[in-house]
Amino acid sequence: MTSATFPPSPPENTSWSRYFGFNTDAKVIGIQYIVTAFFFFLIGGLLAMIIRGELITPAADLVDRTVYNGIYTMHGTIMLFLFIFPVLNGLNNLLIPTMIGAPDMAFPRLNAVAFWLVPIFGALLIGSFFVPGGPAYSGWWSYPPVSTQNPLGHFINGQGLWITAVALSGVSSIMGALNFVTTILRMRAPGMGFFRMPVFCWTALAAQSLQLIGLPALTGGAVMLLMDLSFGTSFYQPEGGGDPVLYQHFFWFYSHPAVYVIILPVFGIFSELFPVYSRKPLFGYVYVCLASFIIVALGLVVWVHHMFPSGVAQWMRNFFMFSTMLIAVPTGVKVFAWLGTIWRGKLRLTTPMLFCLGGLFNFVFAGITGIMLATVPVDIHVSNTYFVVGHFHYVIYGAAVMGIFAAIYHWFPKFIGRMPYEGLGKVHFLFTFVGANLNFLPMHPLGLMGMPRRVSSYDPEFAFWNVLASLGAFLLGVSIIPFLLNMVSSWVRGPKAPHNPWNAIGLEWLLPSPPPEDNFGEHVPTVIARPYGYGTGEPLVEHQAEIENQLTLQEASA
Amino acid sequence: MTATPHLNTEHPKHNLTGFIIFLCSESVIFLAFFSGFALLKTAALNWLPPGVEGLEWRTPLLNTVVLISSSGTIWLAERCMSKGNLMGFRAFWLLTMALGAYFLYGQALEWSGLQFGLTSGVFGGTFYLLTGFHGLHVATGVFLMGLMLVKSFIPQNYAGGEQGVQATSLFWHFVDVIWIILFVLIYVWQRS
């Protein structure tokens, strides 16, 4: 390797127009995914504001009851299929090729097609607000028989559009998963064996394997649901010999692992960021990597815990209660590894680190309520109450979304080439952390008291906690303002980012900020050590000092 | 736009890896349909709709023989290809396509003679869903084979073309295995 040709020069074309077309560069697609996801995040968030606005008083006085049903259904669907999955695929697109030293994804065109399906099914889903009868109203899990009702008799109806959109989302995600798995398996830098791979790539591999195994089952189940709704079959209709519980099996066989698809990459983000901001190697690297795949294996056999009250056999309840509790073990391994990493480290409380710490705190809380919910008697007691809503919002907003914000602040300088503002970032963190806890903590006492989910009016005895939750939700709504302000203003006129502003170790930090289109091109450095060698002074790749000198010189001359 | 070519990407080996991963994922849809079928059938009180005696098995059995032999002919075609015998490859490839097309014809023949429809309870629904979804795969396989056959007439195409042949052949074996499971589930396991 000659360091004269390395590092590659920064990209020349930075025109805005490439973000609006069919582009096959993973870094462009990554940003397309993330920006699109946040567009839908605002829509889903607006719906959440309407929900909490309705629930601030016991009476159903803000929106009509049927409209309310459509709103919570669309809130859940948009947040999962149009926000969380696309935003994570965006991070995968940005991080996987640069972290493993690949020039692009294995199938760049397939990658672009997978992205462009997102706005298409997004438009279908949002469009369902404008069809006669309004959007789907059967909740984000769309159980039959509610989801197979078509009272107005239109062939194009909200529920039909919902199923089509979810099936298209599945196609898009399978295309993405195929691409990510092939890229990680076949395009790693020389010297990067599996046990030299960053944990984010391990967790991405684990999560995307789950997509490949789980999604086809949901797609199959959704096809059958659509046929019941629109073509008169009776797969899920007891009067035709069908079984509504069969749909629940299909749905949760995917949608429980979907939680791990969401949280595993966030575990990856925690594992990347805690070492950087604690200046210590990741504690128990090998165990953290392996725990991801134990979570995958166990995550595939826990789905019936969503169906304890659905009339499943007692042996199933026992088995799935046990397997669900077992999953706390590999998850606990990870939590202890992060604590071991932070322990006596030189902590730097930057915005990404604050989001990680907050996310970890919320995750542990969600884990505790998760174990409670795994217990059959507790689950049956709080089934369909706000306890469940509180639990999964702690997981998804409290842990996953906060981890995603951490990742955005951490890797923003790398892929945009400018530094985000710390002050605005910390305000964003404070509002998010306080808002999330104020919003979702009161849901637990509400659930234990017996307040059912998916209702727009409730008994006045629930009013106190609901007012608190609504105030928290409005704070969360406000919290997005400093974030958007930060992103837009730092993208436009933030200070230029050096190649490694956080003193982090990893292949992506040996590239200019932003990296050129083909990343390292032909000059991929040879990896000679495990990641996270903080405080050890060991280089990660051959000729590391030369590469870094070159990058610094390049920045000085720019 | 920087004119740097995508270097390691679009590597033909990745295509085969990606295709194998896709087939694994695709098999889960069939697994879902099969387990749904088994669950509905074992739980059913009256599996057969009124007036239906059961399924006739002669046409499907002939179809099964045709499809299994087509797996053999596609293997022969691949062997010819690896030995550089292009004409032999085309001959066996075309024969495989013909067998695939015959299977589809036999399926259509069977469907047209049936006493029940898609909406005849779970029995009709699952029957048409499973055979229809599988038939769609057979049609896709025949289409892919046609594509590869056309490609074999483009000179100097074998750098990337052979990967396509391998993938198509793999897909065809997959469709074959799925049919055997389907045949056992639907036609052999008639009593509930």
Side-chain angles (χ1 to χ4, degrees):
Chain A
M1 197 196 99
T2 51
S3 26
T5 50
F6 191 89
S9 41
E12 285 135 34
N13 171 31
T14 48
S15 116
W16 280 85
S17 58
R18 68 197 166 131
Y19 291 111
F20 295 94
F22 191 87
N23 195 305
T24 55
D25 178 5
K27 288 181 291 297
V28 174
I29 294 176
I31 290 167
Q32 285 177 323
Y33 261 120
I34 294 173
V35 173
T36 312
F38 272 99
F39 170 76
F40 288 114
F41 182 68
L42 292 181
I43 299 178
L46 189 70
L47 297 178
M49 294 302 108
I50 300 174
I51 293 171
R52 286 315 319 178
E54 170 66 71
L55 292 178
I56 204 166
T57 56
D61 40 17
L62 187 65
V63 288
D64 191 65
R65 277 175 206 267
T66 48
V67 175
Y68 185 82
N69 292 346
I71 286 176
Y72 68 69
T73 301
M74 295 302 274
H75 164 73
T77 311
I78 289 173
M79 286 307 197
L80 284 164
F81 294 105
L82 286 163
F83 170 63
I84 287 268
F85 288 133
V87 82
L88 288 172
N89 273 353
L91 289 174
N92 283 337
N93 262 296
L94 294 176
L95 295 175
I96 290 172
T98 48
M99 279 183 160
I100 64 171
D104 202 332
M105 301 290 288
F107 312 112
R109 260 172 300 154
L110 188 72
N111 197 15
V113 173
F115 163 71
W116 281 103
L117 279 175
V118 176
I120 292 174
F121 72 76
L124 268 185
L125 208 58
I126 304 293
S128 72
F129 274 106
F130 306 103
V131 296
Y137 47 77
S138 47
W140 81 277
W141 53 31
S142 279
Y143 278 2
V146 181
S147 57
T148 46
Q149 309 299 313
N150 186 3
L152 295 183
H154 293 286
F155 185 73
I156 293 181
N157 55 66
Q159 189 64 47
L161 288 175
W162 185 94
I163 299 171
T164 315
V166 167
L168 273 180
S169 151
V171 172
S172 159
S173 295
I174 286 179
M175 285 178 175
L178 239 156
N179 222 335
F180 298 129
V181 170
T182 313
T183 308
I184 294 174
L185 290 183
R186 299 202 63 111
M187 293 171 69
R188 296 192 308 279
M192 187 184 271
F194 280 110
F195 287 101
R196 282 184 185 168
M197 197 161 73
V199 174
F200 183 82
C201 296
W202 270 93
T203 54
L205 186 64
Q208 299 301 322
S209 310
L210 273 179
Q211 292 276 55
L212 288 169
I213 301 168
L215 258 176
L218 174 69
T219 312
V223 167
M224 288 160 77
L225 188 66
L226 190 63
M227 287 173 81
D228 271 9
L229 176 72
S230 304
F231 302 106
T233 56
S234 49
F235 298 118
Y236 306 130
Q237 317 297 325
E239 60 273 25
D243 183 2
V245 177
L246 179 63
Y247 174 81
Q248 301 185 14
H249 281 292
F250 285 142
F251 183 81
W252 289 115
F253 181 77
Y254 169 64
S255 296
H256 188 79
V259 180
Y260 299 109
V261 175
I262 293 166
I263 204 71
L264 275 167
V266 175
F267 290 168
I269 292 164
F270 288 164
S271 307
E272 295 293 327
L273 268 57
F274 281 132
V276 179
Y277 299 107
S278 309
R279 312 311 300 165
K280 277 180 64 196
L282 179 66
F283 185 84
Y285 165 75
V286 173
Y287 299 98
V288 174
C289 296
L290 293 179
S292 308
F293 275 87
I294 297 172
I295 291 175
V296 168
L298 287 174
L300 284 168
V301 287
V302 297
W303 80 91
V304 176
H305 68 218
H306 292 271
M307 300 161 57
F308 286 154
S310 301
V312 293
Q314 187 61 39
W315 70 266
M316 280 180 129
R317 286 178 168 181
N318 296 345
F319 172 81
F320 284 95
M321 174 168 77
F322 182 70
S323 61
T324 305
M325 289 187 166
L326 212 56
I327 216 161
V329 176
T331 318
V333 166
K334 293 197 174 203
V335 171
F336 281 113
W338 299 323
L339 293 179
T341 308
I342 305 167
W343 188 254
R344 307 186 80 167
K346 284 164 75 180
L347 298 201
R348 290 189 295 172
L349 295 179
T350 56
T351 307
M353 181 62 165
L354 288 174
F355 269 104
C356 277
L357 290 169
L360 179 57
F361 175 86
N362 290 339
F363 179 72
V364 170
F365 184 82
I368 293 168
T369 56
I371 290 287
M372 289 171 72
L373 281 167
T375 322
V376 175
V378 177
D379 182 80
I380 289 176
H381 177 64
V382 297
S383 178
N384 259 324
T385 68
Y386 261 89
F387 193 85
V388 180
V389 180
H391 162 71
F392 70 73
H393 278 90
Y394 258 89
V395 180
I396 296 197
Y397 206 105
V401 176
M402 285 191 64
I404 288 165
F405 280 133
I408 289 175
Y409 283 105
H410 181 71
W411 280 290
F412 186 92
K414 174 50 63 191
F415 292 101
I416 305 299
R418 298 192 183 256
M419 298 299 291
Y421 298 108
E422 267 307 288
L424 278 173
K426 282 181 176 145
V427 172
H428 176 208
F429 165 75
L430 193 71
F431 284 9
T432 308
F433 186 73
V434 175
N437 280 289
L438 191 59
N439 188 352
F440 306 129
L441 193 67
M443 291 182 176
H444 295 86
L446 278 175
L448 291 174
M449 287 157 75
M451 178 172 164
R453 66 196 285 200
R454 296 176 175 169
V455 290
S456 60
S457 59
Y458 53 83
D459 193 278
E461 68 167 318
F462 301 135
F464 170 72
W465 293 110
N466 269 303
V467 171
L468 278 190
S470 289
L471 293 178
F474 299 147
L475 185 58
L476 271 189
V478 171
S479 79
I480 206 69
I481 295 169
F483 171 71
L484 292 180
L485 210 63
N486 198 350
M487 291 297 113
V488 173
S489 61
S490 53
W491 195 334
V492 174
R493 54 181 195 98
K496 286 251 186 234
H499 70 278
N500 191 359
W502 316 116
N503 282 321
I505 297 176
L507 283 184
E508 77 269 31
W509 302 106
L510 295 173
L511 285 164
S513 301
E517 194 184 331
D518 61 346
N519 298 338
F520 293 97
E522 282 180 83
H523 305 283
V524 185
T526 304
V527 177
I528 52 169
R530 276 200 181 156
Y532 319 113
Y534 296 96
T536 61
E538 283 174 29
L540 178 71
V541 299
E542 282 177 6
H543 310 287
Q544 178 156 334
E546 293 162 51
I547 296 171
E548 283 183 339
N549 280 340
Q550 288 280 339
L551 282 165
T552 315
L553 282 174
Q554 204 177 61
E555 275 151 20
S557 65
Chain B
M1 187 70 61
T2 43
T4 341
H6 289 282
L7 296 151
N8 302 356
T9 52
E10 302 288 0
H11 193 279
K13 272 244 163 95
H14 297 161
N15 291 348
L16 203 59
T17 313
F19 196 75
I20 292 169
I21 296 172
F22 168 75
L23 282 186
C24 293
S25 188
E26 186 77 356
S27 63
V28 181
I29 296 199
F30 281 106
L31 205 68
F33 285 158
F34 289 159
S35 49
F37 173 84
L39 213 87
L40 289 172
K41 183 159 179 179
T42 46
L45 297 173
N46 300 306
W47 178 242
L48 295 173
V52 179
E53 294 295 312
L55 289 163
E56 197 274 328
W57 53 270
R58 283 177 203 89
T59 320
L61 187 65
L62 180 64
N63 254 350
T64 310
V65 174
V66 166
L67 204 62
I68 292 177
S69 17
S70 77
S71 252
T73 56
I74 204 167
W75 180 76
L76 288 171
E78 258 197 300
R79 252 173 71 102
C80 288
M81 163 80 89
S82 66
K83 285 184 178 161
N85 176 2
L86 203 56
M87 285 322 287
F89 160 74
R90 283 179 193 141
F92 280 117
W93 200 253
L94 204 63
L95 182 62
T96 315
M97 282 176 72
L99 291 172
Y102 178 81
F103 177 90
L104 287 175
Y105 167 74
Q107 184 83 71
L109 208 65
E110 191 203 352
W111 276 19
S112 63
L114 290 175
Q115 308 293 317
F116 55 90
L118 178 68
T119 52
S120 308
V122 199
F123 174 79
T126 51
F127 174 81
Y128 284 102
L129 179 72
L130 287 174
T131 53
F133 193 59
H134 177 265
L136 208 64
H137 281 72
V138 176
T140 312
V142 174
F143 172 76
L144 285 176
M145 279 190 263
L147 222 65
M148 292 303 131
L149 191 66
V150 173
K151 262 188 146 181
S152 82
F153 286 98
I154 302 169
Q156 302 300 319
N157 192 41
Y158 277 109
E162 214 159 340
Q163 291 284 330
V165 168
Q166 280 177 8
T168 311
S169 156
L170 210 61
F171 183 70
W172 197 249
H173 294 311
F174 170 77
V175 168
D176 197 7
V177 171
I178 293 291
W179 175 258
I180 295 170
I181 303 171
L182 204 157
F183 183 77
V184 171
L185 271 181
I186 291 189
Y187 296 98
V188 179
W189 179 31
Q190 292 253 15
R191 282 162 204 276
S192 49

